[in-house]
Amino acid sequence: MATEKLTKRVVEALKPSKVGVEGRESFCWDRELRGFGVQVMPSGLKSFVIHYRTPEGKNRRVVIGRYGLMTVEEARVIAHEKLVAVSKGIDPAALSEPDTGGVTVGEICDWYLQEAEAGRIVGRSRRPIKASTLTMDKSRITVHIKPLLGRRAVDSLKLSDIEAMQADIAAGKTAKARAGGKGGAASGGEGVAARTISTLHSILEHAVRLGKIEKNPAHGVRKLASQPRDRRLGTADIAKLGETLRRLAAEGEHPTGLAAIRFFLLTGFRRMEALQLQWSWVDMKARCIRLPDSKTGAHVRVVGQAAIDLIAAQPRRTGSPYVFPADWGDRHFVGVVRVLDRVCAQAELADVTPHTLRHTFASVAGDMGFSELTIAALLGHAARGVTQRYVHIDEALRVAADRVAAEIGALLDGRKMKGVGRRVSSPDDPGEPDDPGESGR
């Protein structure tokens, strides 16, 4: 792209290249500071870069930060410093080579995983870090942190180095296709970048607290803002989904996957809470599920009668403790996302995930007039105050769970219920008024 002086107006006006099916990165170079420019990815992400030639004659391009996290003038200052270093025969990219003056980021990450897996690091919940959290941490360390910063000495890191790593991850520099086995492809994007920065910040905080390093170089890092997931299904969408579930069941779609999808909607359970549900945790008489562990720790979750009926209807598989078992072996079912994708494609519903179904449960409860406190208890949210700690499985909460599950079940089955879509008489009283005039209390 032709050079011109980079300003806020110029950078904001830059658009992604549309070359080929996938598109490709494009550049705009500064007219005044040679080698300083902006890289524009097909996704629209814009990062400041420098381009130079090493004393050995090799061309280098280094990302110095993401537009939005730093201004054009801030990037210009950093670019000038690095390009001055180049003129003195110093290769800025060589800073990524191993440092010999102190512990490296990779070594701190290895220490963290070893200590956390042994239960010697306590998380924010004042408990050892969960295995599921460590699995995600290990993935981010292996795929993103080590390739970009693993060989750097911690005490040599600057905030700009960490935000540059964030920009690289968001731009897809560490993305790669799946190489077989379980799990999906390693992807980039702003959400992945922000979560990886959170993981690195947390690891370094543990290292400071336990005396491994003097200070956390990620302190004060500005994480990319993630797009809030507020997708929910309306009543017509739920009815359409229910009709598709019935039709595909008759056509031979996977029964366990269909049952799990329905369970998500009837309970608002998180995906792994539902898939890992074991028969021994279900109390049919009390209409509750006693989860020994979850995102918010061990707790009891009340569910509606419609959900209990769904659980009772599931066939028990010999040798498997799970309500939703795998097709073989003693593990739980894992293919629910693929089944949901097929169902939603048939129902012509876009952008639906298990989290969407959880949000839909909460939205239906809200539309019915239940209070945020009641909905939080139904969803298993962590208690955020003294009052919420006193919300137990009383009759009012059971009635709330029954009414929400019954309404969603009626929509899924194409039935009409008396009072469907009507608000409760009071956000704190789940009883249904006999007189429509009472609903305005």
Side-chain angles (χ1 to χ4, degrees):
M1 185 177 293
T3 60
E4 56 184 310
K5 182 177 180 180
L6 292 180
T7 63
K8 183 174 184 289
R9 178 185 60 79
V10 170
V11 174
E12 289 186 343
L14 295 176
K15 302 297 181 184
S17 170
K18 298 299 182 181
V19 178
V21 176
E22 299 295 334
R24 69 180 185 184
E25 60 188 7
S26 58
F27 298 88
C28 181
W29 300 102
D30 187 69
R31 184 175 59 208
E32 296 186 353
L33 181 59
R34 185 175 180 182
F36 171 49
V38 175
Q39 176 188 56
V40 185
M41 301 301 292
S43 64
L45 184 76
K46 300 171 185 177
S47 301
F48 296 108
V49 298
I50 57 171
H51 185 90
Y52 59 94
R53 188 184 297 273
T54 69
E56 296 77 24
K58 295 181 180 180
N59 285 313
R60 301 274 200 199
R61 185 179 299 138
V62 176
V63 175
I64 59 176
R66 179 183 181 274
Y67 176 66
L69 294 180
M70 65 171 58
T71 67
V72 176
E73 291 310 312
E74 288 171 340
R76 187 185 300 277
V77 170
I78 295 174
H80 181 266
E81 292 175 352
K82 291 182 180 293
L83 291 171
V84 167
V86 170
S87 70
K88 297 178 180 179
I90 300 172
D91 181 3
L95 294 176
S96 297
E97 296 301 314
D99 288 280
T100 59
V103 63
T104 66
V105 173
E107 289 169 342
I108 286 296
C109 288
D110 292 340
W111 163 84
Y112 163 76
L113 290 175
Q114 181 178 352
E115 293 297 298
E117 287 171 353
R120 292 191 288 266
I121 293 183
V122 177
R124 288 180 297 178
S125 63
R126 303 297 189 270
R127 298 187 181 92
I129 297 171
K130 294 181 180 179
S132 58
T133 300
L134 285 175
T135 298
M136 291 304 302
D137 290 347
K138 187 173 183 178
S139 175
R140 291 167 188 155
I141 288 168
T142 303
V143 176
H144 304 297
I145 297 175
K146 280 190 173 182
L148 294 174
L149 290 180
R151 302 172 72 188
R152 293 287 303 276
V154 175
D155 58 10
S156 75
L157 286 180
K158 298 178 181 178
L159 203 59
S160 59
D161 297 321
I162 295 171
E163 292 190 350
M165 181 187 78
Q166 180 175 228
D168 283 341
I169 297 170
K173 186 173 181 179
T174 50
K176 59 183 178 181
R178 185 177 67 171
K182 295 183 179 180
S187 62
E190 296 185 354
V192 172
R195 289 190 290 274
T196 301
I197 291 296
S198 292
T199 295
L200 178 59
H201 183 279
S202 178
I203 291 171
L204 296 174
E205 277 295 298
H206 287 304
V208 171
R209 184 171 56 84
L210 297 175
K212 298 296 291 184
I213 57 177
E214 292 296 324
K215 64 178 181 177
N216 183 353
H219 182 70
V221 67
R222 292 183 178 178
K223 292 184 293 183
L224 294 169
S226 58
Q227 190 70 21
R229 295 183 292 178
D230 55 2
R231 173 82 163 101
R232 62 157 287 183
L233 302 181
T235 54
D237 294 332
I238 298 173
K240 185 187 294 185
L241 185 66
E243 187 278 328
T244 306
L245 288 172
R246 297 194 302 276
R247 176 167 56 82
L248 292 185
E251 295 174 2
E253 180 57 87
H254 203 297
T256 305
L258 297 179
I261 291 169
R262 188 179 179 93
F263 186 78
F264 293 151
L265 274 167
L266 293 178
T267 62
F269 268 44
R270 299 178 179 91
R271 179 171 63 92
M272 294 311 297
E273 287 176 344
L275 296 180
Q276 293 177 345
L277 178 62
Q278 298 189 22
W279 288 104
S280 61
W281 303 350
V282 181
D283 188 331
M284 299 283 190
K285 184 176 181 181
R287 298 204 307 275
C288 69
I289 294 172
R290 305 181 191 278
L291 296 170
D293 192 21
S294 73
K295 186 175 181 179
T296 55
H299 67 273
V300 179
R301 187 87 59 84
V302 64
V303 296
Q305 185 61 48
I308 291 295
D309 293 342
L310 173 65
I311 293 172
Q314 300 310 299
R316 296 199 183 216
R317 178 163 298 163
T318 303
S320 175
Y322 297 104
V323 175
F324 303 109
D327 292 332
W328 55 82
D330 58 357
R331 306 296 295 172
H332 62 76
F333 186 69
V334 296
V336 69
V337 173
R338 291 190 291 274
V339 176
L340 181 60
D341 287 345
R342 291 195 293 267
V343 170
C344 291
Q346 291 288 317
E348 298 182 345
L349 295 172
D351 193 27
V352 178
T353 66
H355 182 83
T356 304
L357 306 184
R358 175 174 165 83
H359 192 198
T360 297
F361 175 90
S363 297
V364 170
D367 291 344
M368 295 176 70
F370 291 106
S371 68
E372 291 185 9
L373 191 64
T374 297
I375 296 171
L378 293 175
L379 292 174
H381 284 171
R384 290 184 172 85
V386 174
T387 305
Q388 192 169 339
R389 297 172 191 161
Y390 291 94
V391 177
H392 302 295
I393 301 181
D394 55 16
E395 190 58 31
L397 196 58
R398 285 195 178 91
V399 171
D402 274 341
R403 289 201 58 204
V404 178
E407 178 152 340
I408 293 174
L411 290 168
L412 288 172
D413 294 340
R415 296 180 284 107
K416 289 186 177 181
M417 286 178 49
K418 176 184 177 182
V420 167
R422 290 168 58 186
R423 296 176 63 84
V424 295
S425 56
S426 168
D428 298 314
D429 177 9
E432 183 179 339
D434 294 326
D435 188 329
E438 296 181 10
S439 63
R441 285 191 299 158

